[in-house]
Amino acid sequence: MSTNATAIEHLQAAAKPWTETLHEWVTTVDHKRLGILYILYGLSYLVIAGCEALIIRIQLIHAHNNFVSPQVFNRMFKMHGTTMIFFVVMPVLFGFANYLVPLMIGARDMAFPRLNAFSYWLTALGGLLLSFSFLGGSGLYGAGNAPDVGWWAYAPLGAKAFSPGHSTDYWTIALLVSGFGSVGTAINIIATVFSMRCPGMHLGRMPLLVWLNLVMSGMVLLAITPLTAAQLMLLVDRYLGGHFFDTQAGGSATLWMHFFWIFGHPEVYVLVIPAFAFMSEIIPVFSRKPIFGYPVMVGATVAIGLVSMSVWAHHMFTIGMNSYANSFFAITTMEVGIPTGIKIFNWIGTMWGGRILFKTPMLFSIGFLGQFLIAGLTGIIQACAPVDWQLSLSYFVVAHFHYVIVGGILFALFGAFYYWHPKVTGRMLSETLGKWHFWLFVIGFHMTFDVMHIPGILGMPRRIYTYEPRPGWETLNLIVSIGAFIQAAAVLVFVNNLIVSYLKGAKAGNDPWDAWTLEWAVSSPPAVYNFSTIPVVASRRPLWDLTHPEDLDSLYE
Amino acid sequence: MSSLSIPFTQATRSWILPDRGKVAMASLIIAESAIFTIFVVAYLYYVGKSLSGPTPSQVLETPIFYTICLLSSSLTVHVAGNFLNRGKQGAFLTMWSLTFLLGGLFLFGTGQEWHRLIYEKASRSPRTSSGQPITRS
């Protein structure tokens, strides 16, 4: 586009009243804008769910504390868990997928732009419904009453007798609605990847981020829908006299647990596979090498997707399954560590011998590698049923899954923010603030979640409102809570960095990292139509081929 | 705002990818199958275990005719789609109408089933020794 055209576009943008801009954003079907909306929505809920976590940690900072009531405490940990999983991590990951997948495959938009917008607004409505329960959970009586039945709502807690009012209904319907949104987005990603790739980009040349989001979307189809079905049955139990999960009428509480975890454990991989995707793009660029073992990485991801659908009942070792079931789920859980280990090996293989640049995205990636490895290892420890019998329902489990979600996924997400922010906004994030963010977060994270393993091993149960001042418990909990506040401070540095850099950050240019996938070929931020001419690619690193015609990747792939 | 700073070569041969509608529909069917698998598992698990009744065999009959209607409607809509693709408007409308008819019959049958389930449930519930039906509030 010519300079004159650019100037006219800028003038037109400047002249628009804010209502028109708002209208454009609300009615947009552009995958990039929807991606940004998903991400901003997730970040807003990150602040809310983070505050809920801090309330939990203040309550547990010393024994016999009564900072909040037991009822409020229960609501906080229910809302923290649900919000973080469904309305922070998933929307942010979907946001990145929305933004990046079409750009990376050389497409002008998603396969179904209107479905894309519809899916986003369903997700947004789901989160708002859940939040509204703080105000409307008791219906017209006016008293606030957010759901307080744990993020899994085990039967009979979800039943009408144990959960009167509408708080649990808000939770159920919020997840139903956002679940439909997730399925819509997953279908869209799958159709986009299979049907919208630019010429030359056959499946073996797709960027790993695209491959991994494809696998993630396939898993969403199979993992979210069981939760949808279970939620519908819960509604039937609550309002139509059904007894699916009512043990006193012949139903089964265990059935709910199975249905919940058939969703719940694959969901962990739904969240972590996009984090793997970020690592698979960032690590090669900052190691100045192509990814090590591309086909194996794809195979390992598909294997993780398949095996992870058969591990769910390792969350249920303590309910008294028979030894065959215990063995099956222990073995499959350990098996999933094999392809995951292959991936870690390949990322390290990519770094090995590379010219590593320790920019902020790479720092977060290195943090991810070490922490996710530890998270995986504590997972394998718990895959052993007799060990799980000792550790289940203790703070060890809380430490383990926060190691996965925060130490793994959130670190990868932060890395992704620093890596793609220049593309989205046209401006670089501050490296200085980025390093402050990284180191503060590392310190806070390890203070909180390394230490949290110990009270778990000492026998401190999870989900408790308060505890006895047993030897070591108070000091350990104090350290854990201080670490949580340091993490909160790090997030504030990050938010500050986002705002300051958006306003005053250095201009990024098209390809500030000298990267090689297609999104870096277009301007920052990209035009509405992404590509004025659809590109043709001949290798996995099309930009490398363009800038290094003497050393084409296509000669070796 | 430029859209592409680095010129790529133009495609020299045709590039054929699967139809996005078909891919999306296949994905939707997979998702729907997962939902209904859970429903069927729950039903099979629960059937016969109700402590208060009535059991399905007490109030429902196997809806053979309406099942045929439901399954046949998939066939007729498929045929209708084929006619539409070939531009045969009249044949399409016939099969399309037939699909609606079969779907309507199925819905009518399902409604009848629910009506029986709701209004005849009390009379067929297990009874106490005094002959009063056991019903749940």
Side-chain angles (χ1 to χ4, degrees), chain A residues 1 6 111-112 194-195 197-200 221 225 233 243 248-250 252 510 518 521-523 529-530 532 535-536 546, chain B residues 1-3 5-11 15 17-18 20 23-24 27 30-31 34-35 38-39 42 45-46 49-51 136:
Chain A
M1 199 179 283
T6 311
F112 302 100
F194 277 119
S195 308
R197 282 169 283 128
C198 66
L221 299 184
T225 40
M233 284 186 267
H243 308 299
Q248 294 185 336
S252 168
N510 290 3
L518 282 177
V522 298
S523 60
Y529 44 86
N530 292 352
S532 53
V536 180
L546 280 173
Chain B
M1 201 183 289
S2 67
S3 60
S5 59
I6 304 172
F8 285 88
T9 53
Q10 294 296 303
W15 176 248
L17 292 171
R20 61 184 169 175
V23 173
S27 304
I30 291 169
I35 287 187
I38 295 294
F39 283 141
Y45 184 89
Y46 185 63
K49 290 188 178 169
S50 173
L51 302 178
R136 292 174 64 83

Side-chain angles (χ1 to χ4, degrees), chain A residues 409-431:
Chain A
I409 297 166
L410 200 55
F411 267 73
L413 262 178
F414 283 140
F417 269 105
Y418 283 91
Y419 184 62
W420 279 290
H421 183 276
K423 179 52 57 188
V424 176
T425 65
R427 291 182 184 272
M428 304 295 290
L429 281 170
S430 158
E431 273 291 306

Side-chain angles (χ1 to χ4, degrees), chain B residues 33-136:
Chain B
S33 306
I35 287 187
F36 281 97
T37 301
I38 295 294
F39 283 141
V40 169
V41 168
Y43 176 74
L44 292 177
Y45 184 89
Y46 185 63
V47 68
K49 290 188 178 169
S50 173
L51 302 178
S52 56
T55 60
S57 59
Q58 286 176 302
V59 289
L60 299 175
E61 295 145 15
T62 309
I64 296 170
F65 175 69
Y66 297 117
T67 304
I68 291 170
C69 288
L70 175 68
L71 297 178
S72 307
S73 67
S74 303
L75 187 69
T76 53
V77 79
H78 175 73
V79 175
N82 281 347
F83 281 132
L84 186 65
N85 287 338
R86 280 185 265 153
K88 295 183 175 174
Q89 197 71 14
F92 161 72
L93 282 175
T94 306
M95 296 311 286
W96 184 243
S97 307
L98 189 57
T99 305
F100 271 95
L101 178 68
L102 291 168
L105 279 170
F106 170 74
L107 286 178
F108 173 74
T110 307
Q112 261 193 331
E113 220 171 50
W114 275 97
H115 186 272
R116 248 196 335 266
L117 189 68
I118 293 166
Y119 292 103
E120 295 180 24
K121 176 181 168 180
S123 62
R124 296 201 188 186
S125 289
R127 288 166 187 271
T128 62
S129 55
S130 63
Q132 292 299 311
I134 299 170
T135 56
R136 292 174 64 83

